[in-house]
């Protein structure tokens, strides 16, 4: 799986890096006041939609169903099935978008009750409505991406999401050059979100992938009803991190600027989560579906073991790195324009707590495909629901006492609750297959990550408090490079990874 994993991860990394550039520009353009809170609360809805439909989430239902139809009835039947899915999803999302537009004031009051009675509520409703066209475009984009993934063609789907961030960055650059005031800038930026979705649809619609879904028609027959009965729970469960962030935003909305602090902190956590999580959902689901369908227990064990190794190998150092370097990272990326030093400190404290939940989020991404491959989407949904409820309950208490940091700690706890639920259920129902190599490597990965984390903690005092931006960039870059070098060296010394074997795997024919 390593080559496909690397392809998806590279595309996701590029998208996330562009996302950082976008969010840094948003921070400079809007700051953290009422306008920023309103825009970012509305933008959370778009982020949930993106994870709910795209970035590997719909693969959980579409890929196993499409592969079964193709293997049972042939290519023509699979194309007809895909055409019905594409037509039904497109029509359904148009209707849903209209309904959401009408109910938007109520929706915003639910996700941000602290806005009630202020002008921020009206701003958030207006911004959210301007972003709604994205929802209608995201559905067909996701179906076309899923069909490509089902055939093992990951390159185009990995890099198409870059168009979303490119469009927003271009719009922000124009607004900054034009010195637009915050209300107008937020309005224009919200309108650009829908345009970004249209660009993605045009890109995929012009490819051969569109021919995999013909004839295009809407259908609510028994087959489609069965598909959506499994797809909807899977899509909701795959968006667990975003639901937890919404839970945090619900509570944090009562505190000025807290929604913005949590949003910017979460964007940093989403970099490693996206690299690992999206690749898990995109690559592991078709791999496990084929293995489970053929009854090949050795192939199942191999796929699950390599997934856990990759998840631990990337999530653990990212967690420790973000926790140790939270303040210098936040200051370098976001402390510009209207985003001040106090905002940096509050965001860094929230980031430290959110980072502790990263291994749990990645573990969920590694465990869930084992259920999806067996056509079980309800178990991940129930695990997500448990984590969501726990996060809300804890956030009410901890948020009142510790502010945004308390809410961030609640989100991390909710993630660990969901991961624990999946682990218990999977172990009792079918048992997760971890081979001997994984049992040998995993403890060594943990040891190497812990040593790297200790090194970063020891070097946190190297950053001068009043250093120039270029000095900050150089010092932080050296710290990260040193951490990566030590981690990679320890993996090799401890026998947890062989770079020669990895390079050989990349050269093998697909």
């Amino acid at each position: 799986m390593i080559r496909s994993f690397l392809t998806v991860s590279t595309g996701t990394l590029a998208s996330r890096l562009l996302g950082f550039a976008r969010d840094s520009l948003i921070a400079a353009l809007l700051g953290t006041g009422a306008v920023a809170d309103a825009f970012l609360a509305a933008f959370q809805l778009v982020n949930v939609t993106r994870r709910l439909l795209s970035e590997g989430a719909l693969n959980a239902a579409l890929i196993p169903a499409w592969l079964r139809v193709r293997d049972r009835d042939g290519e023509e039947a699979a194309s007809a099935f895909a055409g019905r899915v594409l037509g039904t999803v497109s029509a359904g999302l148009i209707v849903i978008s209209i309904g959401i537009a009408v109910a938007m004031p109520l929706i915003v009051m639910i996700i941000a009750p602290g806005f009630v009675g202020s002008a921020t509520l009206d701003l958030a409703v207006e911004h959210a409505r301007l972003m709604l066209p994205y929802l209608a475009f995201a559905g067909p984009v996701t179906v076309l991406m899923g069909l490509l993934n089902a055939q093992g063609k990951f390159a185009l789907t990995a890099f198409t999401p870059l168009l979303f961030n490119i469009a927003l960055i271009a719009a922000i650059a124009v607004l900054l050059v034009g010195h637009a005031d915050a209300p107008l800038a937020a309005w224009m930026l919200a309108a650009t979100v829908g345009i970004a979705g249209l660009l993605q649809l045009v890109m995929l619609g012009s490819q051969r992938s569109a021919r995999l879904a013909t004839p295009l028609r809407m259908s609510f027959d028994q087959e489609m009803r069965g598909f959506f009965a499994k797809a909807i729970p899977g899509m909701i469960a795959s968006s667990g991190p975003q639901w937890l962030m919404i839970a945090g935003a619900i509570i944090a909305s009562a505190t000025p600027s807290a929604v913005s602090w949590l949003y910017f902190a979460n964007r940093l956590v989403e970099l490693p989560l996206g690299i690992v999580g999206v690749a898990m959902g995109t690559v592991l689901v078709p791999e496990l579906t084929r293995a489970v369908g053929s009854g090949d227990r050795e192939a199942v064990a191999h796929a699950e073991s390599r997934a856990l190794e990759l998840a631990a190998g990337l999530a653990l150092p990212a967690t420790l790195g973000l926790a140790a370097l939270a303040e210098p990272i936040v200051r370098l990326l976001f402390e510009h324009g209207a985003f001040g030093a106090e905002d940096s400190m509050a965001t860094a404290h929230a980031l430290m707590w959110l980072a502790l939940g990263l291994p749990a989020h990645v573990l969920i991404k590694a465990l869930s495909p084992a259920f999806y491959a067996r056509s079980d989407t309800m178990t991940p949904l129930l695990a997500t629901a448990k984590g969501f409820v726990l996060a809300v309950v804890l956030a009410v208490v901890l948020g009142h006492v510790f502010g945004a940091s308390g809410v961030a700690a609640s989100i991390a706890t909710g993630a660990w609750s969901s991961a624990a639920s999946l682990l218990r259920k999977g172990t009792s129902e079918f048992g997760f297959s971890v081979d001997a190599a994984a049992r040998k490597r995993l403890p060594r990965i943990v040891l190497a990550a812990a040593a790297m984390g200790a090194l970063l903690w020891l070097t946190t005092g190297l950053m001068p408090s009043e250093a120039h931006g270029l000095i900050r960039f150089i010092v932080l870059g050296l710290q990260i490079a040193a951490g990566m070098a030590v981690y990679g060296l320890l993996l090799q010394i401890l026998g947890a990874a062989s770079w020669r074997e990895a390079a050989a795997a990349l050269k093998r024919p697909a």
Side-chain angles (χ1 to χ4, degrees):
M1 294 185 294
I2 190 169
R3 180 157 48 190
S4 298
F5 190 95
L6 184 61
T7 299
V8 177
S9 296
T10 301
T12 305
L13 174 61
S15 179
R16 290 297 192 267
L17 291 176
L18 283 176
F20 281 138
R22 178 200 71 204
D23 288 335
S24 181
L25 291 171
I26 289 176
L29 184 67
L30 304 180
T32 59
V35 174
D37 280 355
F39 177 84
L40 294 176
F43 199 55
Q44 289 282 21
L45 294 175
V46 173
N47 278 334
V48 169
T49 299
R50 294 178 69 194
R51 305 314 192 273
L52 192 67
L53 295 170
S54 61
E55 298 198 356
L58 191 60
N59 289 346
L62 178 60
I63 289 178
W66 187 85
L67 288 173
R68 280 194 296 270
V69 174
R70 188 193 65 175
D71 295 342
R72 183 187 66 214
D73 303 322
E75 295 284 351
E76 187 175 346
S79 294
F81 171 78
R84 295 199 304 278
V85 172
L86 180 57
T88 306
V89 167
S90 300
L93 285 176
I94 291 173
V95 174
I96 291 172
S97 297
I98 295 172
I100 291 176
V102 174
M104 190 61 74
L106 178 60
I107 294 172
V108 173
M109 283 191 287
I110 292 173
I111 67 170
F115 292 173
V116 175
S118 69
T120 308
L121 176 64
D122 295 332
L123 284 174
V125 170
E126 182 180 5
H127 295 162
R129 282 174 171 163
L130 286 169
M131 296 177 190
L132 266 182
Y134 179 85
L135 176 60
F137 297 132
V141 164
T142 302
V143 173
L144 294 175
M145 290 172 66
L147 294 174
L148 287 172
N149 292 335
Q151 299 180 91
K153 300 176 180 178
F154 301 109
L156 183 61
T157 61
F159 289 94
T160 297
L162 270 66
L163 291 174
F164 181 86
N165 287 325
I166 290 172
L168 291 180
I169 288 172
I172 297 170
V174 171
L175 293 168
L176 284 171
V177 170
H179 301 287
D181 59 16
L184 176 61
W187 191 93
M188 296 292 291
L189 202 54
T192 306
V193 170
I195 297 173
L198 178 60
L199 290 175
Q200 291 178 309
L201 180 58
V202 170
M203 169 66 78
L204 285 174
S206 64
Q207 306 298 316
R208 290 185 177 182
S209 59
R211 303 175 189 175
L212 299 173
T214 54
L216 182 65
R217 65 187 182 91
M218 186 172 61
S219 173
F220 291 101
D221 58 19
Q222 183 176 356
E223 186 178 34
M224 283 295 100
R225 291 195 298 271
F227 168 74
F228 285 109
K230 291 186 177 296
I232 293 173
M235 289 189 292
I236 295 173
S238 295
S239 305
Q242 285 65 49
W243 293 117
L244 288 173
M245 281 304 300
I246 284 181
I250 290 173
I251 308 303
S253 62
T255 303
S257 298
V259 172
S260 300
W261 296 333
L262 285 172
Y263 173 83
F264 290 118
N266 186 59
R267 290 300 298 157
L268 288 160
V269 173
E270 282 193 348
L271 175 61
L273 176 59
I275 292 173
V276 184
V278 175
M280 290 289 178
T282 303
V283 178
L284 191 56
V285 171
E287 190 82 17
L288 279 174
T289 299
R290 295 187 188 97
V292 171
S294 65
D296 189 341
R297 295 183 62 86
E298 184 177 346
V300 172
H302 180 270
E304 291 180 349
S305 299
R306 301 296 79 75
L308 285 174
E309 289 171 3
L310 287 168
L314 291 173
L316 290 177
T319 296
L320 296 172
L322 287 173
L325 304 176
E327 184 182 350
I329 289 175
V330 170
R331 293 190 67 181
L332 180 66
L333 289 175
F334 300 125
E335 194 174 303
H336 312 288
F339 196 97
E342 292 184 4
D343 297 318
S344 292
M345 288 300 298
T347 302
H349 290 155
L351 173 59
M352 293 176 67
W353 287 105
L354 286 177
L356 296 180
L358 176 59
H361 288 303
V362 173
L363 185 60
I364 292 168
K365 296 291 186 181
L367 297 177
S368 295
F371 296 92
Y372 298 146
R374 294 170 171 84
S375 297
D376 178 7
T377 56
M378 285 304 298
T379 297
L381 174 62
L382 292 175
T384 298
K386 291 177 183 177
F388 181 88
V389 172
L390 179 62
V392 170
V393 172
L394 288 177
V396 170
V397 178
L398 298 180
H400 179 72
V401 179
F402 301 106
S405 296
V407 174
S410 303
I411 293 171
T413 305
W416 280 107
S417 172
S418 297
S421 296
L422 282 180
L423 189 59
R424 287 195 301 268
K425 188 70 171 179
T427 301
S428 63
E429 286 198 353
F430 48 79
F432 290 107
S433 304
V434 180
D435 59 23
R439 290 193 293 270
K440 174 183 175 182
R441 290 172 180 155
L442 287 171
R444 301 179 185 191
I445 290 173
V446 173
L447 180 60
M452 183 218 73
L455 171 67
L456 293 179
W457 276 111
L458 292 173
T459 62
T460 53
L462 295 177
M463 184 73 73
S465 58
E466 299 299 328
H468 185 271
L470 179 60
I471 299 299
R472 292 182 182 280
F473 178 82
I474 293 173
V475 173
L476 184 59
L478 290 174
Q479 287 176 294
I480 294 173
M484 292 173 64
V486 168
Y487 181 59
L489 181 62
L490 287 174
L491 288 178
Q492 182 76 38
I493 292 174
L494 295 172
S498 170
W499 306 119
R500 182 177 300 176
E501 291 179 6
L506 288 173
K507 296 178 182 178
R508 293 188 192 117

